[in-house]
Amino acid sequence: MLAGDREADIFCQFTKEGKIIPVRIRFADDSGEQQEYKILGYRETSPLGITSINNVRSFDCKIESYGQSRVINVIYFKSEDKWAVRSVNNYG
């Protein structure tokens, strides 16, 4: 994980081919309170700033927060067996 990443719990489904389908996400907000969101849409992306992509999976996940659509960049670090939220942006 990189500085600024927030650890997250990701609830996933898997296809018979092993493809990851993110379904829900839970992570601490700025005040430290755990928040949980249903993932409304996702796409797999290239991990930003990471050279070894074999051990890393990255997803842009669309959620709704306080009535606004947001995109959360979620990263899975296979070597650490951890999920993290990298960034949160408005969904365009």
Side-chain angles (χ1 to χ4, degrees):
M1 289 179 36
L2 299 176
D5 289 350
R6 296 182 194 186
E7 285 192 40
D9 296 321
I10 305 291
F11 304 89
C12 300
Q13 294 179 338
F14 297 87
T15 66
K16 62 184 175 186
E17 293 82 21
K19 182 179 174 184
I20 298 171
I21 302 171
V23 177
R24 286 185 295 136
I25 183 169
R26 181 175 51 215
F27 63 95
D29 63 15
D30 291 337
S31 66
E33 187 173 330
Q34 290 288 324
Q35 301 292 329
E36 187 170 320
Y37 304 95
K38 179 179 178 181
I39 295 173
L40 304 173
Y42 75 96
R43 66 182 172 141
E44 192 160 358
T45 60
S46 297
L48 301 174
I50 299 172
T51 56
S52 176
I53 61 174
N54 290 335
N55 291 322
V56 178
R57 304 289 294 271
S58 177
F59 300 88
D60 283 343
C61 297
K62 180 180 176 183
I63 63 169
E64 187 172 310
S65 174
Y66 300 106
Q68 292 189 318
S69 292
R70 316 273 270 164
V71 172
I72 298 176
N73 182 244
V74 178
I75 310 249
Y76 175 62
F77 297 91
K78 187 174 182 178
S79 61
E80 299 175 44
D81 201 21
K82 290 185 178 182
W83 287 89
V85 174
R86 167 91 13 113
S87 61
V88 180
N89 302 304
N90 288 330
Y91 192 75

